[in-house]
Amino acid sequence: MKKDSGNTTPESKPFWFSLDNAAKIFPAIITKEVTSVFRLSVVLKQPVKMDVLHKAVLQTEERFPYYLVQLKQGFFWYYLEQLPRHIPITADERPYCRQFRKGELLLRILVRKNCVSLEGSHVLTDGSGAFAFLRTILLFYLQALGLSFPEGELPHTLGEVVSAEEYEDAYKRYFKDDIPPMVKRSKAFHLPFPLNSKPRFRQSTVILSMSQMKQAAKEKGVSITIYLVAVYLHTLQEIHNNLGGLSRLKKCRRLRVQVPINLRKIFPSKTMRNFSLFVMPEIDLRLGQYSFDEIIKTVYHQMQLESDEKLINKNIARNVSGEKNRVVRGIPLFLKSLILRMKYYSLGTSQYSGVITNLGKVDLPDETLEFADHLVVIPPPPNKMLKLNCGVIGFGDKLVLSFGNITRSNEFEERFLLFLTTQHISVEPETKTDQP
């Protein structure tokens, strides 16, 4: 089949896909440090049984055949091509979120003691798609151990025809070509901390009480995501205020946080590839200092506005229209990659101060509470401009925060968590034996 006709299906051998719209930027920026690889972990209450896990992974591969692909380079675009291998299951001994090499599948399973981790490339999917994959592994694993689930919870595989909607580029489905472009944002404040020595990326995880977190957010009349974004901005404001006089004058006074949103909750879609965009609430310190309540109010209204379907359509239109432009399509890949890399830093990362990714309280049957203790999400390692990010995920009564940091400072994490304790939210470090 011709490559400009779209893609072939997982039922055909071999098959291939063009990259979805969100994925196109990642091959241009990937390095050994900026890997675009994220991690999802489930921490069990008992050591992992490797033979049972291996069988569960094979069953899950059958359910998600479109995930068995490698990244390939064409003359005009990168694309994904079938790689008829099984997803590797290895001991979790290497650094987190390491780069996928050429010719590898874009998913890997890592195991340590009672923890199963899935690492995936954003070239392939986003956190929601990867969680659906890990969720399926977990349910097959627990079923093999004798756990029964309500009808409809366990994915069927034998004889099932995979819906084409699961591997579509959903951005193109919802693209409208008569939408005006988004307005470029100003540059934002960035953390002043010195970089760590290589390998720079380090990660710390804490566990919060979900019930306490819900109560704190409820008292402010907002969601947990909005509450945590407000804490993030409040922490950035404290760090900005703590700078020396000259340093503070030199630094930008706009504090802005990028918050990915799952578009499947706005536009009906079953896609298991990337389908997320982001909102960027901000405070402008040129207008004065903000109390936490003022930040809460600002974040609430900005996120309500920016997640409106019409403004989301503007974001989709901006991203997809460039891909459809005939001039852009005719540029050789090496030039496209150079342009995309420059735009990523000048028009992307420069516009926000940090990232907080919240996958929310995960959708797992109540029966799994007996076997699973908590989950962890680790976003991809931040670049040298951004320096730090935060991932959030909830399960049962545990809300887990994971900070990824490439600097020598712990000031941000310490201030963030100290503020939570002042709001009567208990904070416990994840124990060493359970860490993914």
Side-chain angles (χ1 to χ4, degrees), residues 38-58:
F38 58 91
R39 171 183 284 225
L40 283 167
S41 303
V42 55
V43 179
L44 303 172
K45 296 180 179 180
Q46 299 293 332
V48 176
K49 296 182 182 296
M50 290 300 297
D51 56 337
V52 180
L53 177 64
H54 182 74
K55 180 180 177 182
V57 171
L58 291 178

Side-chain angles (χ1 to χ4, degrees), residues 159-177:
E160 181 179 14
V161 176
V162 176
S163 168
E165 191 176 344
E166 290 188 25
Y167 50 88
E168 73 170 351
D169 182 351
Y171 297 99
K172 289 183 178 178
R173 188 209 288 197
Y174 291 102
F175 167 69
K176 298 179 180 179
D177 58 8

Side-chain angles (χ1 to χ4, degrees), residues 53-339:
L53 177 64
H54 182 74
K55 180 180 177 182
V57 171
L58 291 178
Q59 288 176 289
T60 305
E61 287 178 6
E62 184 181 349
R63 175 61 185 81
F64 298 86
Y66 41 80
Y67 277 171
L68 302 180
V69 291
Q70 62 179 320
L71 180 65
K72 298 287 286 185
Q73 182 175 340
F75 186 77
F76 293 108
W77 295 105
Y78 287 97
Y79 61 98
L80 299 174
E81 183 178 76
Q82 181 198 20
L83 184 61
R85 298 179 187 170
H86 295 301
I87 294 172
I89 305 174
T90 60
D92 192 4
E93 297 174 344
R94 298 187 182 184
Y96 297 161
C97 305
R98 71 183 189 277
Q99 180 183 4
F100 286 97
R101 297 190 301 270
K102 184 178 180 180
E104 283 189 312
L105 292 171
L106 299 177
L107 293 173
R108 63 171 72 101
I109 306 292
L110 302 122
V111 180
R112 187 169 70 193
K113 297 180 180 178
N114 57 328
C115 180
V116 178
S117 297
L118 170 70
E119 289 189 346
S121 171
H122 262 306
V123 171
L124 181 64
T125 187
D126 56 19
S128 296
F131 174 71
F133 190 86
L134 181 61
R135 179 186 191 275
T136 304
I137 292 174
L138 178 63
L139 296 189
F140 278 135
Y141 176 83
L142 294 179
Q143 184 191 48
L145 294 179
L147 189 62
S148 298
F149 297 105
E151 186 177 353
E153 286 287 1
L154 198 66
H156 299 288
T157 56
L158 294 178
E160 181 179 14
V161 176
V162 176
S163 168
E165 191 176 344
E166 290 188 25
Y167 50 88
E168 73 170 351
D169 182 351
Y171 297 99
K172 289 183 178 178
R173 188 209 288 197
Y174 291 102
F175 167 69
K176 298 179 180 179
D177 58 8
D178 57 348
I179 301 291
M182 293 288 291
V183 177
K184 179 184 174 182
R185 300 178 194 256
S186 62
K187 291 185 178 180
F189 168 74
H190 289 99
L191 293 169
F193 308 138
L195 295 175
N196 209 355
S197 57
K198 294 182 180 180
R200 293 191 173 95
F201 185 59
R202 56 189 178 86
Q203 181 267 345
S204 58
T205 300
V206 296
I207 300 176
L208 314 180
S209 163
M210 177 73 80
S211 54
Q212 290 177 354
M213 191 71 245
K214 279 184 176 179
Q215 182 60 33
K218 183 179 179 182
E219 288 175 359
K220 301 296 184 181
V222 297
S223 67
I224 288 176
T225 297
I226 290 173
Y227 190 95
L228 291 174
V229 172
V231 177
Y232 205 119
L233 285 167
H234 185 270
T235 304
L236 289 170
Q237 180 179 245
E238 285 189 333
I239 292 172
H240 188 281
N241 291 343
N242 202 43
L243 293 172
L246 185 59
S247 297
R248 188 165 62 247
L249 287 174
K250 289 181 178 180
K251 284 289 185 180
C252 179
R253 304 186 72 184
R254 287 181 181 270
L255 315 183
R256 192 178 291 129
V257 178
Q258 186 188 84
V259 187
I261 56 174
N262 181 5
L263 293 185
R264 300 167 185 85
K265 296 181 179 180
I266 300 174
F267 301 101
S269 177
K270 296 179 182 178
T271 187
M272 290 292 101
R273 301 172 73 191
N274 289 292
F275 196 41
S276 57
L277 283 175
F278 51 82
V279 297
M280 290 201 285
E282 67 175 75
I283 56 175
D284 187 348
L285 299 186
R286 295 175 301 175
L287 305 178
Q289 293 295 296
Y290 287 74
S291 68
F292 183 63
D293 284 342
E294 288 175 324
I295 296 175
I296 284 270
K297 182 173 70 173
T298 299
V299 171
Y300 171 81
H301 289 294
Q302 288 179 351
M303 288 189 64
Q304 289 291 313
L305 178 64
E306 290 194 37
S307 59
D308 177 77
E309 184 176 329
K310 290 182 174 59
L311 286 183
I312 292 294
N313 278 329
K314 289 182 72 172
N315 256 318
I316 294 175
R318 176 194 62 185
N319 296 344
V320 178
S321 60
E323 175 188 338
K324 288 181 172 289
N325 185 290
R326 289 185 178 182
V327 175
V328 173
R329 291 175 66 181
I331 298 175
L333 183 58
F334 76 95
L335 284 178
K336 277 196 187 87
S337 295
L338 179 62
I339 294 168

